[in-house]
Amino acid sequence: MKKRILITDDSTRWIAYHKGAILEIFNNNVSIDTANSAKEGVEKITASIDNPYDIIITDMQMESDFLPFYAGEWFIKQIKFFKEYQNTKIIVISATSNIRQIAEKYNTDFIPKYKCNNLEEYCNKLLN
């Protein structure tokens, strides 16, 4: 069965990068949806509640509507609200300096953006 992945990022360049890397890692045996904001990400997860995503990748710094939280942090809180997503792997990918603390707070995986070009590390986060 194909893995279902949601990529949430406000940068089309980063979405394209993640899609390319994921397609390479999973040899096209994957279904990828994208969202350009945390709000759109919530729309996607609620629309897919009967068939939850296996992996959700989210940026932290997107729209500024959720201060003092990052948009990605707000999005993670929404994902965690749904019991249907309790087995979904969430990976935070961001350039923010406190990415580790946020990931630990919400029990998610993380990859600093500067490490995304290391396909081996990227692959390990997605597959493990």
Side-chain angles (χ1 to χ4, degrees), residues 8-10 57-62 71-72 92-95 113:
T8 305
D9 200 310
D10 60 338
I57 295 171
T58 185
D59 187 19
M60 274 289 107
Q61 298 169 296
M62 295 179 281
V92 177
I93 298 180
S94 183
K113 276 195 175 174

Side-chain angles (χ1 to χ4, degrees), residues 5-9 18 22 55-59 75 89-93 122 126:
I5 299 177
L6 174 64
I7 303 166
T8 305
D9 200 310
H18 295 310
I22 289 165
I55 301 170
I56 298 174
I57 295 171
T58 185
D59 187 19
F75 181 43
K89 178 179 215 135
I90 301 170
I91 303 172
V92 177
I93 298 180
Y122 192 98
L126 287 174

